[in-house]
Amino acid sequence: MSRVTAANIDKALTVGEVAERSGVAVSALHFYERKGLIHSQRSAGNQRRYHRDVLRRVAVIKVAQRIGIPLAEVARALAGLPEARSPNARDWSRLSERWRQELDERIQRLTQLRDQLSDCIGCGCLSMTACRLRNPGDELSEQGPGARRWEGPREQPGDAG
Amino acid sequence: MSRVTAANIDKALTVGEVAERSGVAVSALHFYERKGLIHSQRSAGNQRRYHRDVLRRVAVIKVAQRIGIPLAEVARALAGLPEARSPNARDWSRLSERWRQELDERIQRLTQLRDQLSDCIGCGCLSMTACRLRNPGDELSEQGPGARRWEGPREQPGDAG
DNA sequence: GATTGACCTGAACAATGGTTTAGGTTGCAT
DNA sequence: ATGCAACCTAAACCATTGTTCAGGTCAATC
Protein backbone atom coordinates (compact mmCIF):
# COMPACT_ATOMS: atom_id res chain seq x y z
CA MET A 1 0.00 0.00 0.00
CA SER A 2 2.31 2.68 1.16
CA ARG A 3 5.69 3.19 -0.40
CA VAL A 4 8.54 1.24 1.02
CA THR A 5 10.14 4.26 2.61
CA ALA A 6 6.95 5.26 4.35
CA ALA A 7 6.15 1.75 5.46
CA ASN A 8 8.26 1.85 8.57
CA ILE A 9 7.38 5.41 9.37
CA ASP A 10 3.64 4.91 9.36
CA LYS A 11 3.73 1.57 11.03
CA ALA A 12 1.85 1.47 14.28
CA LEU A 13 3.81 0.08 17.19
CA THR A 14 2.75 -2.85 19.32
CA VAL A 15 3.01 -2.60 23.06
CA GLY A 16 6.03 -4.87 23.03
CA GLU A 17 7.81 -2.65 20.55
CA VAL A 18 7.08 0.43 22.60
CA ALA A 19 8.32 -1.36 25.69
CA GLU A 20 11.56 -2.31 24.01
CA ARG A 21 12.18 1.08 22.47
CA SER A 22 11.22 3.12 25.49
CA GLY A 23 12.80 0.90 28.08
CA VAL A 24 9.55 0.69 30.02
CA ALA A 25 7.89 -2.59 30.92
CA VAL A 26 4.71 -3.63 29.14
CA SER A 27 2.93 -3.69 32.47
CA ALA A 28 3.98 -0.11 33.05
CA LEU A 29 2.60 0.92 29.66
CA HIS A 30 -0.71 -0.70 30.53
CA PHE A 31 -0.59 1.15 33.80
CA TYR A 32 0.15 4.48 32.15
CA GLU A 33 -2.76 3.94 29.83
CA ARG A 34 -5.10 3.23 32.70
CA LYS A 35 -3.92 6.45 34.29
CA GLY A 36 -4.51 8.39 31.10
CA LEU A 37 -0.86 9.19 30.45
CA ILE A 38 -0.74 7.52 27.07
CA HIS A 39 -3.34 6.38 24.57
CA SER A 40 -3.62 3.70 21.95
CA GLN A 41 -5.77 2.52 19.11
CA ARG A 42 -6.92 -1.05 19.02
CA SER A 43 -6.36 -3.59 16.26
CA ALA A 44 -9.18 -5.74 14.94
CA GLY A 45 -8.18 -8.30 17.56
CA ASN A 46 -8.27 -5.76 20.41
CA GLN A 47 -4.53 -5.39 20.66
CA ARG A 48 -2.97 -2.01 21.35
CA ARG A 49 -1.45 -0.13 18.47
CA TYR A 50 0.56 2.96 19.23
CA HIS A 51 1.43 5.98 17.17
CA ARG A 52 5.13 6.72 17.22
CA ASP A 53 4.40 9.86 19.22
CA VAL A 54 3.95 7.66 22.24
CA LEU A 55 7.71 7.27 22.45
CA ARG A 56 8.14 10.97 23.02
CA ARG A 57 5.35 10.93 25.53
CA VAL A 58 6.95 8.11 27.45
CA ALA A 59 10.27 9.94 27.32
CA VAL A 60 8.64 12.94 28.95
CA ILE A 61 7.09 10.71 31.57
CA LYS A 62 10.43 9.14 32.39
CA VAL A 63 12.13 12.49 32.79
CA ALA A 64 9.29 13.73 34.96
CA GLN A 65 9.65 10.65 37.11
CA ARG A 66 13.32 11.36 37.63
CA ILE A 67 12.48 14.88 38.65
CA GLY A 68 10.02 13.53 41.15
CA ILE A 69 6.78 14.65 39.55
CA PRO A 70 3.99 12.24 40.50
CA LEU A 71 2.26 10.54 37.59
CA ALA A 72 -1.02 12.24 38.38
CA GLU A 73 0.60 15.60 37.81
CA VAL A 74 2.26 14.42 34.63
CA ALA A 75 -1.11 13.21 33.46
CA ARG A 76 -2.61 16.61 34.16
CA ALA A 77 0.20 18.36 32.35
CA LEU A 78 -0.05 16.13 29.31
CA ALA A 79 -3.82 16.36 29.30
CA GLY A 80 -3.51 20.15 29.42
CA LEU A 81 -1.90 20.22 26.02
CA PRO A 82 -4.16 21.52 23.26
CA GLU A 83 -5.84 18.66 21.43
CA ALA A 84 -4.26 16.26 23.89
CA ARG A 85 -1.49 15.75 21.40
CA SER A 86 1.92 14.47 22.23
CA PRO A 87 4.23 17.21 23.39
CA ASN A 88 6.21 18.98 20.72
CA ALA A 89 9.31 21.05 21.31
CA ARG A 90 7.38 24.08 22.47
CA ASP A 91 5.21 22.06 24.83
CA TRP A 92 8.24 20.36 26.22
CA SER A 93 9.84 23.69 26.75
CA ARG A 94 6.92 24.88 28.84
CA LEU A 95 6.68 21.68 30.81
CA SER A 96 10.34 21.36 31.48
CA GLU A 97 10.63 24.94 32.60
CA ARG A 98 7.86 24.46 35.10
CA TRP A 99 9.33 21.24 36.35
CA ARG A 100 12.77 22.71 36.58
CA GLN A 101 11.38 25.30 38.93
CA GLU A 102 9.91 22.61 41.12
CA LEU A 103 13.21 20.82 41.05
CA ASP A 104 14.96 24.02 42.02
CA GLU A 105 12.69 24.49 44.98
CA ARG A 106 13.23 20.95 46.06
CA ILE A 107 16.97 21.38 45.86
CA GLN A 108 16.71 24.53 47.91
CA ARG A 109 14.69 22.83 50.60
CA LEU A 110 17.10 19.96 50.79
CA THR A 111 20.08 22.27 50.83
CA GLN A 112 18.62 24.22 53.70
CA LEU A 113 17.94 21.01 55.52
CA ARG A 114 21.50 19.88 54.93
CA ASP A 115 22.88 23.11 56.29
CA GLN A 116 20.77 22.84 59.38
CA LEU A 117 21.92 19.29 59.77
CA SER A 118 25.53 20.34 59.41
CA ASP A 119 25.05 22.95 62.11
CA CYS A 120 23.49 20.34 64.29
CA ILE A 121 26.02 17.58 64.00
CA GLY A 122 27.80 16.99 67.23
CA CYS A 123 25.99 19.70 69.10
CA GLY A 124 23.56 17.34 70.72
CA CYS A 125 20.94 19.97 70.21
CA LEU A 126 18.42 17.35 69.26
CA SER A 127 17.41 17.57 72.88
CA MET A 128 16.88 21.29 72.82
CA THR A 129 13.58 22.89 72.12
CA ALA A 130 15.13 25.62 70.08
CA CYS A 131 16.82 23.37 67.53
CA ARG A 132 15.97 24.50 64.04
CA LEU A 133 16.17 20.96 62.82
CA ARG A 134 13.48 19.90 65.23
CA ASN A 135 11.28 22.81 64.39
CA PRO A 136 10.47 22.98 60.72
CA GLY A 137 8.15 25.62 59.44
CA ASP A 138 10.77 28.32 58.90
CA GLU A 139 10.64 27.95 55.19
CA LEU A 140 10.29 24.23 55.07
CA SER A 141 7.34 21.98 55.79
CA GLU A 142 5.57 20.63 52.83
CA GLN A 143 2.01 19.38 53.12
CA GLY A 144 0.19 16.82 51.04
CA PRO A 145 -1.21 13.74 52.71
CA GLY A 146 -1.69 11.85 49.48
CA ALA A 147 0.95 13.39 47.35
CA ARG A 148 4.19 11.71 48.18
CA ARG A 149 6.77 11.93 45.52
CA TRP A 150 9.72 9.66 45.12
CA GLU A 151 13.14 10.53 44.04
CA GLY A 152 14.88 7.77 42.15
CA PRO A 153 14.57 6.84 38.51
CA ARG A 154 14.28 3.11 39.25
CA GLU A 155 15.59 1.39 36.15
CA GLN A 156 13.66 -1.55 34.82
CA PRO A 157 14.35 -4.54 37.04
CA GLY A 158 13.49 -6.89 34.20
CA ASP A 159 15.85 -5.62 31.56
CA ALA A 160 15.03 -3.32 28.68
CA GLY A 161 17.71 -0.71 28.38
CA MET B 1 7.83 6.75 96.77
CA SER B 2 10.28 8.97 94.98
CA ARG B 3 10.92 12.51 96.06
CA VAL B 4 8.72 15.19 94.67
CA THR B 5 11.40 16.62 92.42
CA ALA B 6 12.19 13.25 90.94
CA ALA B 7 8.57 12.27 90.52
CA ASN B 8 8.16 13.90 87.16
CA ILE B 9 11.56 12.91 85.94
CA ASP B 10 11.13 9.22 86.55
CA LYS B 11 7.56 9.06 85.44
CA ALA B 12 7.01 6.73 82.54
CA LEU B 13 5.13 8.25 79.66
CA THR B 14 1.93 6.90 78.23
CA VAL B 15 1.57 6.62 74.49
CA GLY B 16 -0.74 9.61 74.46
CA GLU B 17 1.82 11.73 76.27
CA VAL B 18 4.55 10.72 73.87
CA ALA B 19 2.25 11.51 70.97
CA GLU B 20 1.50 14.95 72.33
CA ARG B 21 5.10 15.79 73.16
CA SER B 22 6.64 14.40 70.02
CA GLY B 23 3.98 15.60 67.62
CA VAL B 24 3.56 12.11 66.23
CA ALA B 25 0.20 10.35 66.15
CA VAL B 26 -0.47 7.45 68.47
CA SER B 27 -1.01 5.22 65.48
CA ALA B 28 2.41 6.16 64.18
CA LEU B 29 3.99 5.27 67.52
CA HIS B 30 2.33 1.88 67.39
CA PHE B 31 3.63 1.52 63.89
CA TYR B 32 7.17 2.48 64.86
CA GLU B 33 7.07 -0.05 67.63
CA ARG B 34 5.95 -2.78 65.27
CA LYS B 35 8.87 -1.88 63.05
CA GLY B 36 11.30 -1.98 65.94
CA LEU B 37 12.12 1.72 65.92
CA ILE B 38 10.99 2.33 69.47
CA HIS B 39 10.32 0.12 72.45
CA SER B 40 8.11 0.21 75.50
CA GLN B 41 7.44 -1.50 78.77
CA ARG B 42 3.95 -2.60 79.59
CA SER B 43 1.90 -1.66 82.62
CA ALA B 44 0.03 -4.25 84.67
CA GLY B 45 -2.92 -3.63 82.41
CA ASN B 46 -0.91 -4.13 79.21
CA GLN B 47 -0.65 -0.47 78.36
CA ARG B 48 2.55 0.94 76.89
CA ARG B 49 4.84 2.87 79.19
CA TYR B 50 7.72 4.75 77.66
CA HIS B 51 11.01 5.87 79.06
CA ARG B 52 11.66 9.55 78.36
CA ASP B 53 14.45 8.53 76.01
CA VAL B 54 11.80 7.66 73.48
CA LEU B 55 11.30 11.36 72.80
CA ARG B 56 14.85 11.70 71.58
CA ARG B 57 14.49 8.57 69.54
CA VAL B 58 11.36 9.89 67.90
CA ALA B 59 13.10 13.19 67.25
CA VAL B 60 15.86 11.35 65.41
CA ILE B 61 13.26 9.43 63.42
CA LYS B 62 11.53 12.63 62.40
CA VAL B 63 14.72 14.25 61.23
CA ALA B 64 15.67 11.13 59.30
CA GLN B 65 12.28 11.19 57.65
CA ARG B 66 12.81 14.73 56.50
CA ILE B 67 16.14 13.74 55.08
CA GLY B 68 14.47 10.95 53.20
CA ILE B 69 15.90 7.98 55.05
CA PRO B 70 13.45 5.09 54.90
CA LEU B 71 12.27 3.78 58.25
CA ALA B 72 13.89 0.43 57.67
CA GLU B 73 17.26 2.10 57.48
CA VAL B 74 16.54 4.22 60.53
CA ALA B 75 15.61 1.04 62.36
CA ARG B 76 18.89 -0.54 61.36
CA ALA B 77 20.85 2.51 62.44
CA LEU B 78 19.13 2.70 65.80
CA ALA B 79 19.45 -1.02 66.32
CA GLY B 80 23.15 -0.74 65.56
CA LEU B 81 23.73 1.34 68.64
CA PRO B 82 25.51 -0.46 71.45
CA GLU B 83 23.03 -1.88 73.95
CA ALA B 84 20.21 -0.70 71.72
CA ARG B 85 20.05 2.42 73.81
CA SER B 86 18.57 5.68 72.71
CA PRO B 87 21.05 7.79 70.81
CA ASN B 88 23.16 10.11 72.88
CA ALA B 89 25.02 13.11 71.52
CA ARG B 90 27.88 11.05 70.18
CA ASP B 91 25.56 8.56 68.49
CA TRP B 92 23.59 11.37 66.97
CA SER B 93 26.78 12.88 65.69
CA ARG B 94 27.69 9.70 63.89
CA LEU B 95 24.23 9.16 62.49
CA SER B 96 23.71 12.68 61.37
CA GLU B 97 27.07 12.82 59.67
CA ARG B 98 26.30 9.69 57.71
CA TRP B 99 22.89 11.00 56.77
CA ARG B 100 24.23 14.36 55.83
CA GLN B 101 26.46 12.62 53.33
CA GLU B 102 23.49 10.86 51.82
CA LEU B 103 21.65 14.12 51.67
CA ASP B 104 24.62 15.70 49.97
CA GLU B 105 24.70 13.02 47.35
CA ARG B 106 21.03 13.38 46.78
CA ILE B 107 21.38 17.10 46.32
CA GLN B 108 24.19 16.53 43.88
CA ARG B 109 22.15 14.10 41.83
CA LEU B 110 19.24 16.47 41.73
CA THR B 111 21.44 19.41 40.86
CA GLN B 112 22.97 17.51 38.00
CA LEU B 113 19.53 16.58 36.81
CA ARG B 114 18.43 20.18 37.01
CA ASP B 115 21.41 21.33 34.99
CA GLN B 116 20.71 18.76 32.33
CA LEU B 117 17.14 19.85 32.32
CA SER B 118 18.14 23.46 31.96
CA ASP B 119 20.33 22.55 29.01
CA CYS B 120 17.47 20.68 27.52
CA ILE B 121 14.74 23.23 27.82
CA GLY B 122 13.68 24.48 24.47
CA CYS B 123 16.13 22.41 22.54
CA GLY B 124 13.61 19.74 21.69
CA CYS B 125 16.33 17.21 22.17
CA LEU B 126 13.95 14.89 23.88
CA SER B 127 13.66 13.34 20.46
CA MET B 128 17.35 12.78 20.05
CA THR B 129 19.07 9.61 21.05
CA ALA B 130 22.05 11.43 22.42
CA CYS B 131 20.20 13.55 24.94
CA ARG B 132 21.82 13.26 28.33
CA LEU B 133 18.50 13.66 30.00
CA ARG B 134 17.16 10.61 28.25
CA ASN B 135 20.23 8.58 28.97
CA PRO B 136 20.95 8.38 32.65
CA GLY B 137 23.88 6.32 33.83
CA ASP B 138 26.52 9.02 33.50
CA GLU B 139 26.71 9.45 37.22
CA LEU B 140 23.05 9.10 37.98
CA SER B 141 20.80 6.08 37.96
CA GLU B 142 19.95 4.74 41.34
CA GLN B 143 18.85 1.17 41.81
CA GLY B 144 16.75 -0.32 44.56
CA PRO B 145 13.50 -2.00 43.67
CA GLY B 146 12.14 -1.98 47.18
CA ALA B 147 13.78 1.05 48.64
CA ARG B 148 11.85 4.07 47.54
CA ARG B 149 12.32 7.09 49.67
CA TRP B 150 10.05 10.02 49.98
CA GLU B 151 10.99 13.58 50.37
CA GLY B 152 8.59 15.59 52.43
CA PRO B 153 8.19 15.80 56.18
CA ARG B 154 4.44 15.43 56.07
CA GLU B 155 3.11 17.30 59.10
CA GLN B 156 0.51 15.61 61.21
CA PRO B 157 -2.85 15.89 59.43
CA GLY B 158 -4.70 15.48 62.73
CA ASP B 159 -3.04 18.24 64.70
CA ALA B 160 -0.27 17.91 67.26
CA GLY B 161 2.34 20.50 66.58
C1' DG C 1 -20.37 1.19 90.78
C1' DA C 2 -20.89 3.49 86.72
C1' DT C 3 -19.25 6.39 83.30
C1' DT C 4 -15.89 8.23 80.29
C1' DG C 5 -11.65 8.80 78.04
C1' DA C 6 -7.51 6.62 76.94
C1' DC C 7 -5.77 2.47 75.70
C1' DC C 8 -5.39 -2.42 73.42
C1' DT C 9 -5.31 -5.61 69.03
C1' DG C 10 -5.85 -6.97 64.35
C1' DA C 11 -7.42 -6.03 59.98
C1' DA C 12 -8.76 -3.15 56.37
C1' DC C 13 -7.97 0.94 53.77
C1' DA C 14 -5.29 4.79 51.48
C1' DA C 15 -1.89 6.52 48.08
C1' DT C 16 1.94 5.74 44.66
C1' DG C 17 3.94 2.98 41.01
C1' DG C 18 3.99 -0.58 39.32
C1' DT C 19 4.62 -6.37 38.83
C1' DT C 20 2.76 -10.90 38.98
C1' DT C 21 -0.51 -14.31 38.22
C1' DA C 22 -4.37 -16.67 36.23
C1' DG C 23 -6.95 -17.68 32.55
C1' DG C 24 -8.00 -16.73 27.92
C1' DT C 25 -7.17 -14.65 22.79
C1' DT C 26 -4.39 -13.06 18.64
C1' DG C 27 -1.19 -13.17 15.20
C1' DC C 28 2.47 -14.90 12.70
C1' DA C 29 5.16 -18.70 11.01
C1' DT C 30 5.70 -23.24 9.51
C1' DA D 1 -3.86 -26.22 10.75
C1' DT D 2 -1.15 -26.09 14.49
C1' DG D 3 2.00 -24.28 17.63
C1' DC D 4 4.12 -20.67 20.07
C1' DA D 5 5.04 -16.03 21.28
C1' DA D 6 2.91 -12.00 22.19
C1' DC D 7 -1.13 -10.07 23.52
C1' DC D 8 -5.63 -9.27 26.45
C1' DT D 9 -8.17 -8.45 31.25
C1' DA D 10 -8.96 -8.36 36.10
C1' DA D 11 -7.42 -8.97 40.37
C1' DA D 12 -4.04 -9.80 43.67
C1' DC D 13 0.30 -8.59 45.34
C1' DC D 14 4.68 -5.82 46.58
C1' DA D 15 6.80 -1.92 49.23
C1' DT D 16 6.33 2.27 52.23
C1' DT D 17 4.12 4.94 55.80
C1' DG D 18 0.86 5.31 58.18
C1' DT D 19 -4.72 6.03 59.45
C1' DT D 20 -9.11 4.22 60.46
C1' DC D 21 -12.29 0.98 62.15
C1' DA D 22 -14.32 -2.65 64.96
C1' DG D 23 -14.62 -4.71 69.09
C1' DG D 24 -13.01 -4.95 73.58
C1' DT D 25 -10.13 -3.44 78.08
C1' DC D 26 -8.07 -0.13 81.57
C1' DA D 27 -7.88 3.69 84.65
C1' DA D 28 -9.41 7.41 86.88
C1' DT D 29 -13.21 10.14 88.45
C1' DC D 30 -17.70 11.06 90.33
Side-chain angles (χ1 to χ4, degrees):
Chain A
M1 298 298 188
S2 47
R3 283 155 301 163
V4 177
T5 53
N8 283 332
I9 291 171
D10 295 346
K11 182 175 164 279
L13 300 170
T14 68
V15 68
E17 286 165 344
V18 174
E20 195 184 358
R21 284 167 196 243
S22 68
V24 162
V26 170
S27 62
L29 292 172
H30 285 186
F31 180 74
Y32 292 160
E33 191 167 322
R34 276 208 304 285
K35 294 295 179 181
L37 288 151
I38 60 176
H39 309 283
S40 61
Q41 308 297 118
R42 293 304 178 109
S43 74
N46 194 35
Q47 296 194 353
R48 290 171 179 80
R49 291 296 180 264
Y50 293 94
H51 191 269
R52 302 185 65 81
D53 278 0
V54 83
L55 293 174
R56 172 176 279 266
R57 229 173 153 96
V58 172
V60 170
I61 295 168
K62 288 178 73 178
V63 171
Q65 293 270 89
R66 288 179 61 202
I67 294 173
I69 310 292
L71 285 186
E73 196 178 316
V74 180
R76 251 180 285 127
L78 291 178
L81 295 180
E83 329 160 29
R85 70 178 183 283
S86 282
N88 62 22
R90 199 195 313 275
D91 299 324
W92 166 242
S93 171
R94 261 200 302 271
L95 282 183
S96 56
E97 195 134 15
R98 171 145 41 104
W99 288 342
R100 187 179 55 78
Q101 279 175 35
E102 286 200 30
L103 191 48
D104 260 331
E105 287 162 24
R106 194 137 70 97
I107 289 170
Q108 272 177 37
R109 282 197 305 274
L110 289 177
T111 301
Q112 194 176 38
L113 179 58
R114 185 202 48 194
D115 293 344
Q116 289 179 9
L117 189 57
S118 298
D119 284 353
C120 229
I121 289 175
C123 78
C125 71
L126 211 54
S127 58
M128 307 193 326
T129 318
C131 178
R132 277 157 68 221
L133 205 49
R134 293 192 58 175
N135 297 283
D138 324 345
E139 282 127 276
L140 286 151
S141 106
E142 168 176 2
Q143 303 291 100
R148 278 101 155 199
R149 46 188 56 175
W150 348 113
E151 176 208 351
R154 296 194 68 247
E155 310 291 294
Q156 235 44 40
D159 57 3
Chain B
M1 301 298 188
S2 48
R3 282 154 301 163
V4 177
T5 53
N8 283 333
I9 291 171
D10 295 346
K11 182 175 164 280
L13 300 170
T14 68
V15 68
E17 286 164 343
V18 173
E20 195 184 357
R21 283 166 197 244
S22 68
V24 163
V26 170
S27 61
L29 292 172
H30 285 187
F31 180 73
Y32 293 160
E33 191 167 320
R34 275 207 302 288
K35 294 296 178 181
L37 289 152
I38 59 176
H39 308 282
S40 61
Q41 307 298 118
R42 294 305 177 106
S43 73
N46 196 35
Q47 296 195 351
R48 289 172 180 82
R49 291 296 180 266
Y50 293 95
H51 190 268
R52 302 185 65 80
D53 278 359
V54 83
L55 293 175
R56 171 176 279 265
R57 227 171 155 99
V58 172
V60 170
I61 294 168
K62 287 177 74 178
V63 171
Q65 294 269 87
R66 289 178 59 202
I67 294 173
I69 309 292
L71 285 186
E73 196 178 315
V74 180
R76 250 179 287 124
L78 290 179
L81 295 180
E83 330 161 28
R85 71 178 183 281
S86 283
N88 61 22
R90 199 197 313 275
D91 298 325
W92 165 242
S93 171
R94 262 201 302 270
L95 282 183
S96 55
E97 195 135 13
R98 171 145 40 106
W99 289 341
R100 187 179 54 80
Q101 279 176 35
E102 284 199 30
L103 189 48
D104 260 332
E105 286 163 22
R106 193 138 71 96
I107 289 170
Q108 273 179 36
R109 282 197 305 273
L110 290 177
T111 301
Q112 193 175 38
L113 179 58
R114 185 202 50 194
D115 293 344
Q116 288 179 9
L117 188 58
S118 298
D119 284 353
C120 228
I121 288 175
C123 78
C125 71
L126 213 53
S127 58
M128 307 192 325
T129 317
C131 178
R132 276 158 67 222
L133 205 48
R134 292 192 59 176
N135 297 283
D138 322 349
E139 281 129 276
L140 286 151
S141 110
E142 167 174 6
Q143 303 291 99
R148 278 100 152 198
R149 46 186 57 177
W150 349 112
E151 176 207 351
R154 296 191 69 245
E155 309 292 296
Q156 236 44 41
D159 58 0

